[in-house]
Amino acid sequence: MDFDLAPPNGVGPLRIGMDRQSANAALDPLRDLSAVSQSDRPGQHVFRPSGLMISVHCTRDRLEAIELGRPSAPTDRVIFRGLDVFAIPARELVQRMGEYTSIEADPDDPASFVASVFAGPTCTDVEPPTVHELVSLLPSR
């Protein structure tokens, strides 16, 4: 299954700003009932059979952030403007994302970068899959 990142709006059926109940309702169908992980937490996160983790973070009853953890199998992909973010080296991802948004080093975490609508793992020359550990979709700043 492909999960399209659409910053700053959301990913798939999850939309930044939706109420917690709607976020939970949108998250539930992403769970594969034939292979529910022991790590699944309704209303918090889903681990799909591919290893893809989808986590929601709500504040004041509103969806504030969506986190996606790297899948270990290619059955789920996270796509940003045609880029499979977990399948290409981080340096290339950052370079290509720079065509759409400004990217800076995270002052609080030198192993991370921050874009106006996107935060992610270290920018290195390491080939996937070890580079991409976590992708967070954040509202625009």
Side-chain angles (χ1 to χ4, degrees), residues 8-32:
N9 301 315
V11 60
L14 297 163
R15 293 288 172 245
I16 298 295
M18 68 189 335
D19 63 71
R20 181 184 298 272
Q21 184 176 0
S22 297
N24 292 345
L27 186 63
D28 280 342
L30 302 178
R31 181 175 285 108
D32 183 338

Side-chain angles (χ1 to χ4, degrees), residues 48-59:
R48 294 185 44 83
S50 68
L52 177 68
M53 183 272 304
I54 306 167
S55 182
V56 296
H57 301 275
C58 295
T59 303

